[in-house]
């Protein structure tokens, strides 16, 4: 039987290793030069990667930037610049529904979809850091489920705005002088709990109808939102059984929302570090781990989860982990921590630090190129996921070069990944139905 | 004596003639294709135009789009895509201080400045249409002077954010593992009337220190804001005497704010329609005027000013014009209407409509290429303005082709416009001082 074809998105952030910049081979200046990412995007397009993806954050603490580079480009401009530098690859940015106005964001995404001729995706987040809230007049984040309630209404509003111009609104009749038929342009007159928006949008319907909606987050509220609206869902499951259970659950829940279960795709975050041989990549992993300040890793994680371990010594037994629902920040990060503590048998604070330093909580896959390809095929054949969002490690031959020059070609040779784009728009390339 | 060198920015909107798309030579599909504007930007860069400029609007009424194309691209993505398509020319977009959050906008503009390596400009507007307010939870615009008070605090906040990373904050010491010196990254802890923002920004200081700030608007509140913050001011004066008086006033007011008067530049909007001979361009003007639905022009103007003439017949005498300060919308548009009525000796509603249709209220300059060049040089030599923002008419040989292929080369031959970029950043190219 022919192998199943997988989705591959490329995570274009600099690296999942916070200390990658300390490697002798990392050119720090290049990290802040758009040309670096333009070339990366063009290389990814040359091997038919479905889409580029980037996360985002709306706030940092001064100490956050001390040990690892912070983001330099904000998503609207960044993905638009990448759109102008490519012609086929999808472009999925991350925007917050908590700290944006739906009208502004609907417009930006419609514009990106027009600019890219149908390649835009919207990864929806509710923001999970108090450092973000403090840049928007608040002392801390709105309560978790409130953020998700706002997110749901937000999606309703932007969908209404995206369809406020009928697909045939453009007339452009030079004889009569009618450019747009005002009868095919509609106010939306939305009045809800969070938003009051009259509409219409200022621009024609986006080429994809609406951009591909993607979402991550495995809290109950997050899953409900995904089942209702998301077309692409990100996960970072600890094993293929967990992923399959989640995929099955999403498909059932989507069906209950009246959707075709094939209209929701699950992709697993996979951070690969690979080389021709396992010995070579293990040497690389030892080098990068030695450069990683372990306590800083832990402090970052504490800020994400709100769980404070700073008073404990490394030899202290690990206290019981908090219930993920107890945090108003990243519930998903606490879920990951639970999974790691269980699967690695962690009993002390020191072991937690060491495992964090080795990024056992992230979906790191270390191995030869063939082993990583085997792993990906195994998950897809098992029905755990529809594909992956691959983090490229870093800008070395163990990171992005290995992914684009070795891993993807290997999967193509095996028939597990396409060799060319199958559609014009991102929606078509994912095999997703047209927006209504 | 050598002629004074002038600033030339190019207004990249499709046309100032609302009916331009009805001309047989206009390719309507090209208006919605980013490639059209990419080529335009590259052509403008080839003749050393200082900057590309575009206005913006955050709301339309369905009927607004009926007779003329609406904007398709929003400014953040558009100018970032243009940044990725050029390397020298400045990029000045328009953003509203009323309907954006300062943190989000500071970040977008810092990102554009990094992406373009120091070519970003921020044209600050307070928004003047109730159609915009209705997309942001309001029934009408906040009161005029309130909007300007918010704008002033907005600029204070974004400047603090842009300087929240010291210029030498990036350490990137591979030995010690210190990437950013946290002692050189500062919270801003702003608490004012409109905003509470903790900071820091998420990214390093922009290459220009901060993007070039530009502003238009000739209300008292607008002038006060310009004198305090703006480095580039747009006007649309009816004659060179009015412009000179305004320029002199701005320079005196800037000095009172403790600024060097040469750090504020006044540029006049100039909408050129030109050809090798006057007869040729007059024929073109007759064609475009015949295609322009006059009452629609008037209705658009009514929506901008809030002054309703719809109950009157064309033969009715023109009622007294309202005081510009009476409108909560575009005070500047009412000032223009006053100037036109006076200078053209308009006495009836019909005459107002006909003059509007011929765009006598706009800074239209019709003539041979030599005549338009004479006009521009005359204003600059008189000390009325530092330069122009040239609207290109349309995508025909009377519009953009004439500006870029004939007018600019003519001014270069006369020594009134430079032939190459004199600096790396937009700030340097304007001869503006470095941001503190």
């Amino acid at each position: 039987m022919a192998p199943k074809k997988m989705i591959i998105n490329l995570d274009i952030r600099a690296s999942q290793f916070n200390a990658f910049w300390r490697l002798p081979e990392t050119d720090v200046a290049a990290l802040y030069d758009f040309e670096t990412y333009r070339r990366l995007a063009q290389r990814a397009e040359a091997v038919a990667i479905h889409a580029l993806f980037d996360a985002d954050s709306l706030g940092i603490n001064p100490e956050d930037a001390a040990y690892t580079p912070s983001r330099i480009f904000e998503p609207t401009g960044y993905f638009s610049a990448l759109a102008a530098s490519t012609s086929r690859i999808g472009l999925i940015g991350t925007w917050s529904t908590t700290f944006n106005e739906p009208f502004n964001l609907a417009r930006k995404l419609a514009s990106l979809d027009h600019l890219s001729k149908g390649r835009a995706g919207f990864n929806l987040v509710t923001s999970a850091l108090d450092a973000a809230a403090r840049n928007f007049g608040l002392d801390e984040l709105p309560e978790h489920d409130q953020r998700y309630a706002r997110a749901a209404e937000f999606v309703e509003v932007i969908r209404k705005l995206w369809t406020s111009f009928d697909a045939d609104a453009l007339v452009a009749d030079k004889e009569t002088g009618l450019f747009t038929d005002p009868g095919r342009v509609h106010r939306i007159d939305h009045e809800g709990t969070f938003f009051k928006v009259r509409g219409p949008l200022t621009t024609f319907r986006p080429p994809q109808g609406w951009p591909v909606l993607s979402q991550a987050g495995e809290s109950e509220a997050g899953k409900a939102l995904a089942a209702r609206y998301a077309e692409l869902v990100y996960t970072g499951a600890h094993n293929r059984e967990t992923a399959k259970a989640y995929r099955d659950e999403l498909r059932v829940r989507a069906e209950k929302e009246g959707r075709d279960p094939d209209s929701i795709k699950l992709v697993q975050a996979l951070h690969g570090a690979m080389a021709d041989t396992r010995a070579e990549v293990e040497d690389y992993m030892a080098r990068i781990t030695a450069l990683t300040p372990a306590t800083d890793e832990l402090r970052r994680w504490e800020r994400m989860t709100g769980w404070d371990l700073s008073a404990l010594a490394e030899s202290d037994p690990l206290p019981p982990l908090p219930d993920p629902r107890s945090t108003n920040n990243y519930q998903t990060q606490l879920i990951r921590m639970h999974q790691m503590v269980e699967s690695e048998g962690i009993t002390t604070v020191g072991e937690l630090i060491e495992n964090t330093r080795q990024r056992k909580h992230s979906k790191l896959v270390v191995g030869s190129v063939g082993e990583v390809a085997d792993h990906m095929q195994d998950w897809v054949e098992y029905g755990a996921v529809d594909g992956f969002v691959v983090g490229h490690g870093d800008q070395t031959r163990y990171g992005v070069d290995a992914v684009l020059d070795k891993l993807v070609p290997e999967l193509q040779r095996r028939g597990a990944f396409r060799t060319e784009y199958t559609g014009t728009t991102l929606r078509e390339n994912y095999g997703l139905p047209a927006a209504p």
Side-chain angles (χ1 to χ4, degrees), chain A residues 30-42:
Chain A
L31 298 176
Y32 292 102
D33 188 340
F34 175 71
E35 294 308 319
T36 302
Y37 305 98
R38 189 206 300 267
R39 279 193 298 270
L40 180 60
Q42 291 170 343

Side-chain angles (χ1 to χ4, degrees), chain A residues 114 162-173 178-186 203-207 209 436:
Chain A
H114 281 293
W162 285 332
T163 50
S164 62
F165 277 67
D166 291 348
D168 57 359
L170 176 63
V171 179
D173 184 332
L178 188 68
F179 190 77
T180 309
D181 180 351
R184 298 181 211 163
V185 179
H186 313 285
T203 194
F204 291 104
R205 185 170 291 202

Side-chain angles (χ1 to χ4, degrees), chain A residues 247-280:
Chain A
R247 181 168 182 266
D248 292 344
E249 182 187 353
L250 279 176
R251 291 173 61 90
V252 168
R253 288 174 79 143
E255 213 161 4
K256 281 191 189 143
E257 296 281 349
R259 301 175 58 193
D260 176 352
D262 286 335
S263 70
I264 186 164
K265 311 285 186 193
L266 186 67
V267 293
Q268 162 86 356
L270 182 149
H271 295 156
M274 67 203 89
D276 291 334
T277 67
R278 174 170 272 274
E280 199 183 347

